[in-house]
């Protein structure tokens, strides 16, 4: 079906853009900010990576075809966008940095690029939210499992070569659920304790 073929192409594009905007560029910016000792940007990128860890959890769950992964794929893309704009103090410090300097300019450009990518990616993944109720063998659901399956194959080979063990989908899902519980505990602690106390100030997030 042409519609499914187009959707599959867009989903693969979403995964590839995620490798750029959600992994590659943030890693470069974090190292760059740490190297130049721009503490505000280091804190911003640190917060981003804490929130963006939900993307990795999503991939781990989708590796074993867990329906919860579809919901997390939608939520994670929205949360990473919020995480880079939410903080009043970090926004003010970034605004105070000279706009012509390479690092502040790169961070600003990345934030806008991530925002566009995250919103469009969330809209794309919203179509697969029905997969949360099961039926992951449906074509629209299977599309989202292709990239995690490919990544799992590479991870399994690496794990077997280095550790001599088996990295299976079940193991990946177990690690994903454990990480999700830890993520949820941290999120609740921030929502119930830090946010009422500090508001939109990054503080020790």
């Amino acid at each position: 079906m042409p519609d499914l073929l187009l959707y599959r192409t867009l989903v693969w594009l979403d995964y590839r853009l995620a490798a750029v905007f959600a992994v590659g560029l943030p890693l470069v910016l974090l190292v760059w900010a740490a190297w130049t000792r721009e503490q505000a940007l280091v804190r911003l990128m640190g917060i981003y990576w804490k929130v963006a860890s939900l993307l990795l959890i999503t991939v781990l769950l989708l590796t074993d075809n867990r329906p919860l992964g579809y919901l997390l794929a939608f939520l994670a893309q929205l949360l990473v966008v919020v995480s880079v704009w939410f903080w009043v103090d970090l926004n003010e410090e970034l605004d105070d940095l000279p706009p012509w300097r390479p690092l502040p300019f790169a961070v600003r450009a990345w934030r806008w690029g991530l925002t566009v990518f995250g919103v469009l990616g969330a809209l794309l993944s919203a179509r697969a939210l029905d997969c949360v109720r099961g039926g992951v063998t449906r074509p629209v659901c299977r599309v989202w499992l292709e990239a995690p399956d490919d990544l799992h194959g590479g991870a399994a080979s690496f794990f077997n070569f280095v550790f001599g063990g088996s990295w299976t989908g079940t193991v990946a899902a177990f690690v994903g659920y454990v990480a999700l519980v830890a993520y949820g505990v941290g999120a609740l602690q921030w929502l119930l304790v830090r946010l009422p106390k500090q508001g939109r100030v990054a503080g020790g997030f």
Side-chain angles (χ1 to χ4, degrees), residues 6-205:
L6 174 61
Y7 185 68
R8 181 177 181 273
T9 301
L10 292 175
V11 169
W12 272 97
L13 178 61
D14 180 73
Y15 275 115
R16 291 186 175 98
L17 290 177
V20 175
F21 286 100
V23 180
L25 286 177
L27 182 59
V28 170
L29 292 173
L30 176 60
V31 173
W32 191 358
W35 179 264
T36 57
R37 297 178 180 174
E38 292 285 1
Q39 292 305 314
L41 301 185
V42 170
R43 290 165 64 203
L44 176 63
M45 300 311 301
I47 290 171
Y48 165 79
W49 278 109
K50 289 178 183 178
V51 176
S53 62
L54 189 60
L55 292 170
L56 175 60
I57 296 172
T58 298
V59 172
L60 289 172
L61 295 182
L62 289 178
T63 295
D64 200 40
N65 305 349
R66 302 301 171 104
L68 181 59
Y70 295 98
L71 176 61
L72 296 183
F74 173 74
L75 293 177
Q77 298 195 71
L78 295 179
L79 288 177
V80 295
V81 172
V82 173
S83 71
V84 296
W85 293 100
F86 183 76
W87 313 101
V88 173
D89 55 334
L90 297 184
N91 289 337
E92 290 176 349
E93 290 188 55
L94 180 57
D95 289 340
D96 289 339
L97 294 175
W100 59 85
R101 287 179 52 195
L103 178 56
F105 175 80
V107 170
R108 292 185 181 99
W110 167 73
R111 287 207 306 179
W112 281 109
L114 179 72
T115 299
V116 174
F117 158 73
V119 171
L120 293 180
L123 292 175
L124 188 66
S125 61
R127 183 175 174 183
L129 285 176
D130 283 345
C131 302
V132 176
R133 295 181 294 182
V136 296
T137 57
R138 287 178 292 163
V140 70
C141 302
R142 287 298 311 170
V143 165
W144 286 94
L145 304 179
E146 293 176 2
D149 285 347
D150 285 354
L151 184 63
H152 170 71
S157 299
F158 175 81
F159 194 85
N160 182 60
F161 176 77
V162 175
F163 301 104
S166 298
W167 177 260
T168 64
T170 302
V171 172
F174 173 77
V175 173
Y177 279 124
V178 171
L180 181 59
V181 170
Y183 190 97
V185 170
L188 284 175
Q189 191 268 346
W190 177 76
L191 282 171
L192 300 178
V193 179
R194 288 186 180 273
L195 182 60
K197 183 179 179 180
Q198 299 180 184
R200 294 176 58 194
V201 176
F205 181 91

